[in-house]
Structure formats: structure tokens, C-alpha cells
Amino acid sequence: EVAGLDPARSALLQAARAAEGAPPIVRPRERPIIAMVERVGQATFAVLDEARDLVAFVGMVAITLARTVTRPSRLRGGAIVRHIEKTGFDALPIVGLLSFLIGVVLAYQGADQLRRFGAQVFVVNLVGISILREIGVLMTAIIVAGRSGSAFTAQIGTMQVNQEVDAMRTLGLDPVEILVLPRMFALAVALPLLSFYAAVMGLLGGACAAYAVLDLSFSQFFRQLQVAVPMATLFVGLSKAPVFAAVISLVGCYEGLKVSGGADGVGRLTTRSVVVSIFLVIVLDALFSILFASFGL
């Protein structure tokens, strides 16, 4: 028994007592197949929404870029140089080491297979074409996506959480012009140079492996490389680098500007940025291969 309770609290107590005797809510049994179809549908719509928003972001960046081209003084040269250093120069050790080891692995595996046919010298062709045309630029783009693309998302995402991006808009500054364009220009410069460096290190690794396994001197290796692999092969590989750079920088900045919810959001969208960037880079590389093959390159 409760005595001396005011009318408002008395009505609440009566409602709570009435709810105690209410029958429990029985949910209909969910079929696993229907639940799976529902999850697949939700994921499909989420991917389509993500693709739509990313295309809209690319359009917004293109408009900002066109506006900046008409007024080059608005472009922040110091920020571009700083990002070139972070994305390019600081990545030289990891890119060089991995490319060298990939060249070693390709040469060892190629020599082992070609030895059965007495054609060990063609390991130079295998290493040269693979590194210069595909693997050099592709591995560099994947490394940069995991290293620099995630950094773009984390940096801009932290600024978004701390409301620094909102402060820019309040001051009349364009976040795309301040945050996105310098990173995109810097990566467009750094990635082709890194790809060329990776190709050189990969060939050097292949030459070292050929010397160790086949007793092929460095001069013989590079002489055979010059004969077997035309210079156009290098240009075909490097022509992909600016496109990969644009994709990595745009995805990294787009995911960073979408961050919300504190540190959890930063970590979640940083992971998504790396996954989406690598996926798009591999898809574009496949499309480039089909395109170049159709043109006979």
C-alpha cells in the first residue's frame, strides 16, 4: 500500500501495475532464408547509396577543381608540398622493400618453372613485363591506399569529430578546397614517382635473384631486359598511376568527411576507406588491362 502520493505519480504507479499483468509480446518465428534475403537486400541498398554519394562527391570535387583552375592563387602550395613529402618520400622504404622482395619471388618462381623447358633466360621477360606493366604500379597503389588513404580518412575524420570542418564552413572556407584538393594533387604527383621507384626496385630484386639462381650477371640481365621489354611497357604501367591516385585520395577524403560519432566512427570509416580504395584500384586495373589489350598495347 502506498499512501500520500501526489496524483501525477499515482497515475504512473497505476500504469506500471497494469503493465505487469500484460501478456508478453510474442514475435513470429523468423525464417533463416527470409532473414538472409533481407540482409542481402539491405546491404545492396547500402552499397548503392554509398556509390551514389561517392559519385556526387566526385562531381563536387570536379566543380571545385574547375573553380580553382580559374583562380590558381587559391591553391595551397605549401600544403601540397607537405603532403607530397608524407605520401611520397616517407613511403620510399616500405615501397622499395616490398617491391624488391616481389621481384625476388617472381624471379625464383619463374626460374623454377622455366628450368623444366631449358628457358631460364626468359625469366628476365617474365620479371620485366610483370613488374613494369602490372605488379609495380598495382602493389604501390595498394600500399599507398593502406598507408596514405587511411591517413587521409583519419585526419579529416578527426577534424570532423572536433567540428573543425564546421568551423571552416562558418568562416566561409570550402573544406573541399582546403582539405581535399591539396591531398589529391599531392598523391597525383607522388604515386607515379613511387610506381617508377617500385619498378626499379622490383627489377633490381629480380636481377639479384637471377644472379643467385641462374648465375646471370647484372649486365646480361639488363641487356636481355632491354631487348625483351619495350619502353612502352613502362609507360603503360605508369599511365595508371594518376587514376589510382585520384581514386585513393577521393575515397579517403570522402570517408573522412562522413565521419560521425567520435573515435568509433573514425576507426570504422578508416577501415572502410582502405577496403573500398583497394577494391576500386583492382577493378580499375582489370578494366585498364582489357582496354590496353583491345588497343593492342
Side-chain angles (χ1 to χ4, degrees):
E1 182 180 356
V2 179
L5 200 63
D6 60 90
R9 291 179 175 79
S10 178
L12 178 62
L13 183 60
Q14 291 176 5
R17 285 175 175 172
E20 289 180 357
I25 299 175
V26 179
R27 298 184 181 275
R29 187 174 181 182
E30 195 176 53
R31 295 182 179 181
I33 296 179
I34 296 178
M36 183 187 69
V37 172
E38 182 181 358
R39 289 194 299 270
V40 171
Q42 291 175 349
T44 302
F45 278 107
V47 170
L48 292 177
D49 291 341
E50 183 81 7
R52 180 199 61 198
D53 295 342
L54 183 57
V55 170
F57 179 75
V58 171
M60 183 172 61
V61 172
I63 293 172
T64 307
L65 179 61
R67 187 172 64 244
T68 305
V69 168
T70 59
R71 291 182 292 176
S73 59
R74 297 180 63 89
L75 201 59
R76 302 169 65 232
I80 294 175
V81 173
R82 185 170 66 253
H83 287 302
I84 289 175
E85 179 185 1
K86 291 181 179 180
T87 60
F89 184 77
D90 292 348
L92 288 177
I94 183 66
V95 170
L97 177 61
L98 290 180
S99 300
F100 181 86
L101 294 177
I102 289 172
V104 171
V105 171
L106 280 176
Y108 267 107
Q109 295 298 325
D112 184 57
Q113 297 299 320
L114 293 173
R115 184 180 290 112
R116 305 175 185 180
F117 307 100
Q120 296 95 319
V121 70
F122 291 108
V123 73
V124 180
N125 304 47
L126 173 66
V127 173
I129 295 175
S130 300
I131 293 292
L132 295 178
R133 188 182 182 92
E134 294 291 339
I135 297 180
V137 64
L138 182 61
M139 287 303 302
T140 304
I142 291 174
I143 295 169
V144 169
R147 185 183 178 277
S148 301
S150 60
F152 291 169
T153 304
Q155 291 165 359
I156 298 177
T158 303
M159 297 177 68
Q160 181 78 12
V161 170
N162 293 335
Q163 299 182 341
E164 296 177 41
V165 177
D166 295 333
M168 288 183 183
R169 293 191 178 100
T170 303
L171 293 172
L173 301 175
D174 186 359
V176 174
E177 184 179 317
I178 300 297
L179 300 176
V180 178
L181 291 186
R183 288 171 168 82
M184 188 173 70
F185 280 124
L187 204 57
V189 173
L191 190 57
L193 297 177
L194 279 176
S195 299
F196 179 77
Y197 171 71
V200 172
M201 293 302 295
L203 293 177
L204 183 60
C208 292
Y211 178 77
V213 176
L214 305 176
D215 198 22
L216 195 67
S217 67
F218 287 94
S219 61
Q220 291 174 321
F221 182 93
F222 288 106
R223 190 181 305 113
Q224 175 66 18
L225 179 69
Q226 185 178 6
V227 172
V229 182
M231 187 62 67
T233 304
L234 175 63
F235 295 141
V236 167
L238 293 181
S239 64
K240 308 174 189 177
V243 180
F244 293 165
V247 168
I248 294 169
S249 57
L250 287 173
V251 171
C253 296
Y254 164 74
E255 298 293 351
L257 291 172
K258 281 185 60 180
V259 168
S260 61
D264 178 69
V266 175
R268 180 167 47 84
L269 289 180
T270 299
T271 303
R272 184 191 299 177
S273 168
V274 175
V275 173
V276 173
S277 298
I278 294 176
F279 172 77
L280 291 178
V281 162
I282 294 175
V283 169
L284 287 173
D285 186 67
L287 294 177
F288 271 121
S289 298
I290 297 172
L291 180 64
F292 290 146
S294 64
F295 283 107
L297 297 175

